[in-house]
Amino acid sequence: MMQKQVVSFQDGNASMKALLGGKGANLAEMTRAGLPVPPGFTITTEACLTFFEMGNRMSDELFGQVAAALKQLEKMKGQAFGDAANPLLVSVRSGSVSSMPGMMDTILNLGLNDSTVLGLASLTNNEKFAYDCYRRLMQMFGSVVMGIDAHHFEQLLHHRKEKEGAKQDQDVTAEGWKSLIEDYKKCILEQTGKSFPQHVDEQLRMSVEAVFKSWNNQRAQIYRKLNRIPDEQGTAVNIQSMVFGNRGDNCGTGVVFTRNPSTGEKAFFGEYLINAQGEDVVAGIRTPLPIAALKNEMPEIYEQLFEASRQLEKHYKDMQDIEFTVENNKLYLLQTRNGKRNAQAALKIAVDMVHEGLLTKMEAVGSIEVSHLDQLLHRGIEEEAVKDVLAKGLPASPGAAVGQLVFDADTAVQWNRAGKTVILARNETTPEDIHGVIASEGVLTSRGGMTSHAAVVARGMGKPCVCGCEEVRIVLNEKRMYAPNKVIEEGDWITLDGATGRIISGMMPLKEASMTDELLLMLEWADEIRTLNVYANADNPEDAQIARQLGAQGIGLCRTEHMFFSPTRLPVVQRMILAEDKEDRLRALAQLLPIQQSDFEGMFEAMDGLPVTIRLLDPPLHEFLPNLEELQRRHAELTYDRSGSDLERDEVAQLLSKVQALHEANPMLGQRGCRLGIVFPEIYDMQIEAVFRAASDCINRGIRVLPEIMIPLVGHANELKIVRELVDLVAEQVLGKDSLRDCPYKVGTMIEVPRAALTARQIVAYADFFSFGTNDLTQMTFGYSRDDAEGKFLTHYVDQKLLQHNPFQVLDTEGVGQLIDLAVNAGRLVKPSLKTGICGEHGGDKESIFFCHLTGLDYVSCSPYRIPLARIAAAQAFIQHGDPREIKVAQAI
């Protein structure tokens, strides 16, 4: 016998979220709290997964459980599903475990047919309302369940309104709705070859199956991938008795937030529509009224809603996003969930709730969505440059964006792939536009409010968004936007200001954001909690200064080859690489020495008193050499066209010969890293001398210097031994024995070759620290060339679920992680105080940071602007997993 896979709202609770989904668990919790929730039941996520296992088929046994739950609902409501005289109508809505607003499907007004619509009209004494509900069901059912493109229904609705001279949907007469329903029936039959089902049980079964299937629709898959929501969760389905906000002027529907999701201000925030159903607000079809207006229009309802919202916020200890309906002056709550908000609002809300006593500091830090912290460095507009403001809408998501205007999601994606920056403009966005929103710098809509789909999704992604800009008219088939005094074509440049709602003509200069008080306080709390240090990857003094301002505790990676890419330095490096003999090479190195020394002095000054890890030269040589194909082409021109002088021809021929001699079949595995320094020790000699000269100069100026010299690409202990001896020798030569104590330097290696991880016990004899270069370690462990893999097959692997994540973005804990863990443990067996960290791009990724914490690394190193993210993620790792040292002791016992 099948286990119970249908749970009534009365029997559920918040602890059953994995089974009931977020919406179902919250409906159950609100029901238990005595709040006015329309009764209903939830089909569990387990039923959804079983549905997929059975080939997208709902078993008769499960439908039997649904029918039994429906009978209970009928008793509670005193109505019967499909009854012609007293019909029960229900909504069928998705409810995933992780919030996915608008990504899956909903069907409202289920249970209406040619017979029950007459009963609804008689019961409510409102024929127009009954037929409005019926046409809504047909439109939604036809689109969601039967797969008919929504524009067919929208076109018929538009023609009907034109025929009746109706500006708004609610202006259509009962006879108009009846006529439209007949048009819809014909449309459904023409498009599918099937009639709209009149049997209500068939409607219900098809609707539940459609909502299950919507878990795997394109927009839901894109959203899960973006937010790293596991495919294995599945969705629950909530079946709830309908309440109607579209019965007349004493009815309405809306969405409220217990705090402002854009600013975090502790103020009741939201929107509503009179005589409307919930989809009208969320879809942005009509521009709603601010919730404050409800206080004047329905004061008692406003007070009840306000009190319920405060009760829910206190219960969940978080800002709530609440959907409500008013039917005949009676309030109903349709759902509550933790509200989507932008990063700055999230910080303010968390900080305020600590001050209000609702949260502890640890709970506040744990509540922050670290992937959203990049939003906090939102750019703004240089106000003095603003001249041509085209229009103004609602400031739905802060930040500024500049891009070329596009009018559909597919074009946004195509242009983005072609390297263009785009702004997506729509009348209103729908969940089907999710891929276009992702590809765009910002989003603009002419309709919809602060709680519309576009606003919610953009806020969640940290993209600027302006909604409800009714001053503009977007004509999609013309690919034009008409502003009051200007016509903007597709491809024209505009600037969006999500903080003020302005649309500005042209490309405005943008300014970087500054750290807010709330972020500084949250980071301070995070620093009190975390045990993992956060360093920065910085290749010049300017980046080092930014890193320190953002809270870096040191430089974990200075890539010295990046110091040579400027036009003035590159020719000197090329001369050094192409040198015919050691004397030529030394002459070029002598020119580079003061340049390197100056750079290192700037780094030490910026990080006064903090460690600076300097990686010696690690270039695949081809990055610095003239392009072989271009040389060959030029040589051919000079040889066969006899253009140019004999001297130029000889120089190009000589250069071509040298570049061909240095050409490598696989330069990423060629003469780079310590291999270059061992074959040409004078190169590393120059760099080491520059480090210690810079250190000596800084020490003399009262700057505390903590240099850590990192030897790249070591695969054998002997390689590190040779270079370490060179470092120690040059340090003593430059500083002298007496001054060495003032410069407590370390020498270590970047572990990026799998053999180095496997032989860490031998390598550690010559190392004071291990830094894991996870970019190259991932390449070599998988046998992937990153540049080729990401451009050719890696996306396919992730899409096909061969790999859970792109391993260059999220650390592969099973393979690469195992090598890291092995090397750390082996190294610390020999040197218990061995310093360990990672300095690849994974140092700014939350999941990878959690792994580093659990493995017991000392630090992660990431790009400067990801330091706030890493600091909070490191604290959350401690909150979730505790002290890794205690974990390892417990495991040993």
Side-chain angles (χ1 to χ4, degrees):
M1 183 179 173
M2 177 187 281
Q3 66 182 43
K4 189 175 181 183
Q5 293 188 333
V6 177
V7 180
S8 72
F9 293 167
Q10 301 99 299
D11 296 335
N13 58 64
S15 68
M16 299 169 71
K17 183 177 179 180
L19 200 62
L20 302 180
K23 190 177 294 179
N26 288 339
L27 285 166
E29 198 74 5
M30 287 195 291
T31 300
R32 288 161 62 89
L35 290 166
V37 177
F41 55 90
T42 301
I43 306 173
T44 66
T45 55
E46 286 182 355
C48 175
L49 298 176
T50 303
F51 171 81
F52 293 136
E53 287 170 8
M54 294 180 65
N56 289 5
R57 192 179 65 81
M58 186 177 176
S59 70
D60 291 339
E61 195 170 352
L62 174 59
F63 195 71
Q65 290 189 22
V66 171
L70 196 58
K71 288 292 180 192
Q72 291 298 114
L73 184 57
E74 288 175 334
K75 286 181 184 176
M76 294 175 69
K77 290 288 292 181
Q79 297 172 310
F81 191 55
D83 185 80
N86 190 14
L88 170 68
L89 304 185
V90 297
S91 62
V92 180
R93 308 175 78 186
S94 61
S96 56
V97 178
S98 304
S99 180
M100 294 173 58
M103 294 302 115
M104 289 174 291
D105 290 329
T106 292
I107 299 97
L108 303 179
N109 306 308
L110 201 76
L112 281 174
N113 55 25
D114 291 349
S115 172
T116 57
V117 70
L118 298 172
L120 182 63
S122 175
L123 276 174
T124 59
N125 196 28
N126 190 336
E127 191 179 42
K128 176 180 169 180
F129 154 73
Y131 283 95
D132 178 27
C133 291
Y134 194 15
R135 71 90 190 174
R136 286 173 182 266
L137 169 62
M138 279 197 180
Q139 189 168 343
M140 208 172 261
F141 192 93
S143 177
V144 169
V145 181
M146 303 185 81
I148 302 168
D149 196 304
H151 88 268
H152 291 293
F153 298 108
E154 289 163 5
Q155 204 168 31
L156 290 169
L157 173 60
H158 179 70
H159 290 329
R160 173 51 48 190
K161 285 162 72 175
E162 274 190 336
K163 189 172 283 188
E164 296 208 3
K167 288 188 175 180
Q168 301 287 346
D169 291 1
Q170 61 264 41
D171 298 332
V172 178
T173 63
E175 292 305 314
W177 289 137
K178 288 179 186 178
S179 180
L180 182 64
I181 286 164
E182 293 307 312
D183 291 340
Y184 278 1
K185 286 179 182 177
K186 290 175 189 172
C187 175
I188 290 170
L189 185 60
E190 286 171 5
Q191 292 295 320
T192 68
K194 299 176 183 176
S195 298
F196 173 79
Q198 291 293 315
H199 199 292
V200 295
D201 285 344
E202 186 183 358
Q203 289 180 12
L204 180 59
R205 187 170 197 142
M206 290 174 72
S207 296
V208 171
E209 290 181 342
V211 174
F212 278 154
K213 288 175 188 173
S214 72
W215 175 252
N216 286 324
N217 69 33
Q218 185 186 25
R219 63 181 185 267
Q221 289 183 358
I222 291 170
Y223 190 89
R224 287 203 298 277
K225 186 176 178 182
L226 180 69
N227 293 280
R228 295 184 187 173
I229 297 170
D231 291 333
E232 298 75 31
Q233 279 186 2
T235 182
V237 177
N238 298 287
I239 296 176
Q240 189 173 22
S241 55
M242 284 292 300
V243 288
F244 300 97
N246 60 328
R247 283 183 64 173
D249 290 340
N250 63 350
C251 305
T253 187
V255 178
V256 291
F257 293 81
T258 53
R259 305 191 186 217
N260 188 313
S262 287
T263 66
E265 180 189 0
K266 188 178 181 182
F268 203 34
F269 176 90
E271 298 165 326
Y272 75 99
L273 285 169
I274 291 294
N275 195 16
Q277 284 199 343
E279 290 300 301
D280 298 344
V281 178
V282 177
I285 293 165
R286 289 164 57 189
T287 300
L289 297 168
I291 197 67
L294 188 66
K295 194 171 188 177
N296 299 322
E297 202 150 357
M298 299 179 176
E300 287 185 16
I301 295 294
Y302 179 89
E303 286 305 318
Q304 290 172 31
L305 182 61
F306 182 80
E307 286 305 314
S309 72
R310 286 282 166 246
Q311 181 181 339
L312 287 168
E313 182 177 271
K314 190 173 182 180
H315 179 80
Y316 286 104
K317 293 185 170 184
D318 201 350
M319 177 189 83
Q320 293 300 291
D321 168 357
I322 303 163
E323 288 182 24
F324 71 93
T325 287
V326 179
E327 182 181 34
N328 293 336
N329 285 318
K330 180 171 171 53
L331 174 69
Y332 294 93
L333 304 182
L334 305 185
Q335 79 165 40
T336 191
R337 60 187 173 199
N338 293 342
K340 295 287 181 186
R341 69 215 75 179
N342 64 57
Q344 177 52 33
L347 283 172
K348 178 167 175 51
I349 290 166
V351 167
D352 286 352
M353 285 186 170
V354 171
H355 294 152
E356 293 163 21
L358 274 176
L359 296 176
T360 65
K361 289 180 183 179
M362 199 169 274
E363 286 172 333
V365 173
S367 73
I368 297 301
E369 179 52 66
V370 296
S371 64
H372 292 170
L373 286 178
D374 287 336
Q375 297 174 27
L376 290 176
L377 302 170
H378 272 314
R379 295 176 298 177
I381 294 172
E382 296 283 1
E383 286 301 325
E384 59 274 13
V386 176
K387 291 181 177 63
D388 189 3
V389 176
L390 298 169
K392 192 170 182 181
L394 300 172
S397 184
V402 176
Q404 292 176 271
L405 203 62
V406 297
F407 295 101
D408 66 271
D410 291 340
T411 302
V413 171
Q414 289 166 9
W415 286 25
N416 173 263
R417 286 176 179 164
K420 297 180 180 181
T421 55
V422 298
I423 303 282
L424 177 64
R426 303 283 287 161
N427 287 313
E428 68 271 338
T429 65
T430 68
E432 280 77 14
D433 293 320
I434 182 72
H435 57 302
V437 176
I438 292 170
S440 303
E441 300 297 306
V443 181
L444 162 66
T445 69
S446 61
R447 296 198 291 260
M450 303 278 278
T451 56
S452 66
H453 173 266
V456 170
V457 172
R459 273 198 297 272
M461 292 184 189
K463 291 179 184 284
C465 180
V466 175
C467 279
C469 186
E470 296 180 344
E471 294 178 27
V472 301
R473 185 166 58 91
I474 295 170
V475 183
L476 297 179
N477 60 350
E478 294 181 12
K479 294 190 179 293
R480 284 194 183 100
M481 181 172 78
Y482 293 87
N485 299 308
K486 195 168 187 176
V487 177
I488 302 95
E489 307 275 353
E490 185 164 76
D492 287 351
W493 288 87
I494 66 164
T495 300
L496 281 191
D497 184 4
T500 66
R502 291 176 300 173
I503 307 163
I504 302 162
S505 179
M507 303 168 67
M508 294 298 102
L510 304 182
K511 61 183 179 183
E512 297 302 323
S514 57
M515 301 277 275
T516 65
D517 292 341
E518 289 83 7
L519 176 57
L520 291 170
L521 187 57
M522 188 66 70
L523 289 169
E524 186 182 308
W525 294 343
D527 293 344
E528 292 170 7
I529 297 166
R530 65 185 170 90
T531 56
L532 194 64
N533 290 327
V534 177
Y535 291 0
N537 298 340
D539 306 325
N540 55 64
E542 294 74 27
D543 283 353
Q545 192 64 51
I546 292 168
R548 181 141 199 177
Q549 290 168 359
L550 292 171
Q553 294 167 284
I555 299 297
L557 175 63
C558 170
R559 294 158 285 211
T560 55
E561 62 275 5
H562 286 196
M563 295 173 163
F564 297 138
F565 284 133
S566 72
T568 56
R569 298 180 180 190
L570 187 57
V572 185
V573 179
Q574 288 181 344
R575 283 203 300 275
M576 183 266 290
I577 294 171
L578 296 169
E580 290 294 331
D581 52 38
K582 185 174 180 180
E583 285 68 30
D584 283 348
R585 191 173 302 108
L586 287 171
R587 277 193 289 272
L589 289 168
Q591 284 184 267
L592 292 173
L593 176 61
I595 296 171
Q596 287 266 271
Q597 180 179 336
S598 174
D599 285 341
F600 294 147
E601 285 178 22
M603 302 284 284
F604 292 145
E605 287 171 10
M607 304 307 291
D608 186 1
L610 297 176
V612 177
T613 308
I614 296 166
R615 184 178 75 184
L616 298 183
L617 202 62
D618 181 26
L621 289 181
H622 71 281
E623 292 184 5
F624 288 110
L625 295 177
N627 183 275
L628 179 59
E629 290 181 3
E630 287 183 10
L631 275 176
Q632 288 171 331
R633 180 182 53 77
R634 182 59 181 150
H635 181 257
E637 288 174 358
L638 291 167
T639 303
Y640 300 111
D641 297 345
R642 307 305 294 178
S643 61
S645 65
D646 291 343
L647 178 61
E648 184 185 1
R649 196 160 45 250
D650 291 343
E651 285 177 349
V652 170
Q654 189 177 5
L655 186 57
L656 177 60
S657 175
K658 187 68 177 177
V659 170
Q660 285 174 328
L662 290 170
H663 177 72
E664 296 177 309
N666 192 339
M668 294 303 292
L669 297 178
Q671 185 165 295
R672 53 173 285 219
C674 66
R675 303 159 194 170
L676 183 68
I678 289 169
V679 175
F680 301 108
E682 58 270 21
I683 297 175
Y684 275 8
D685 191 305
M686 178 278 292
Q687 289 197 292
I688 298 163
E689 182 179 350
V691 170
F692 288 113
R693 279 192 179 190
S696 177
D697 184 80
C698 288
I699 290 166
N700 291 336
R701 290 188 281 124
I703 297 165
R704 188 162 173 244
V705 178
L706 298 172
E708 301 190 350
I709 296 177
M710 182 155 66
I711 316 304
L713 220 70
V714 165
H716 195 288
N718 287 339
E719 291 173 316
L720 184 57
K721 178 177 182 290
I722 289 171
V723 183
R724 165 121 211 184
E725 289 170 353
L726 179 63
V727 174
D728 292 339
L729 176 65
V730 175
E732 188 173 332
Q733 288 173 344
V734 174
L735 296 173
K737 287 185 179 179
D738 294 339
S739 299
L740 280 173
R741 65 179 177 274
D742 297 324
C743 184
Y745 69 89
K746 286 183 168 69
V747 180
T749 183
M750 177 179 272
I751 293 190
E752 49 200 322
V753 177
R755 190 184 189 281
L758 296 169
T759 61
R761 196 162 182 173
Q762 289 79 46
I763 288 173
V764 76
Y766 309 103
D768 302 318
F769 65 88
F770 284 169
S771 176
F772 294 92
T774 53
N775 297 345
D776 269 358
L777 188 57
T778 298
Q779 286 198 104
M780 296 193 196
T781 303
F782 273 95
Y784 293 168
S785 163
R786 178 174 184 171
D787 293 340
D788 293 328
E790 290 193 319
K792 291 185 171 65
F793 64 85
L794 201 49
T795 301
H796 179 78
Y797 270 36
V798 174
D799 289 344
Q800 298 299 314
K801 310 294 188 297
L802 294 171
L803 294 174
Q804 188 174 2
H805 302 290
N806 178 338
F808 295 107
Q809 294 173 357
V810 181
L811 190 68
D812 164 46
T813 57
E814 293 177 346
V816 177
Q818 193 175 152
L819 288 172
I820 293 172
D821 194 48
L822 185 152
V824 169
N825 292 329
R828 285 181 175 163
L829 278 173
V830 177
K831 290 184 179 176
S833 61
L834 179 73
K835 181 178 178 179
T836 60
I838 70 165
C839 59
E841 289 183 24
H842 301 96
D845 171 73
K846 177 181 174 178
E847 290 180 38
S848 307
I849 290 169
F850 273 46
F851 168 82
C852 294
H853 173 84
L854 284 168
T855 306
L857 300 188
D858 296 297
Y859 69 90
V860 295
S861 190
C862 59
S863 64
Y865 286 105
R866 293 184 75 78
I867 287 167
L869 180 155
R871 289 165 69 184
I872 289 179
Q876 291 181 342
F878 183 91
I879 292 166
Q880 192 165 321
H881 298 292
D883 191 326
R885 290 163 294 194
E886 293 176 5
I887 294 169
K888 285 190 178 285
V889 169
Q891 287 173 341
I893 294 170

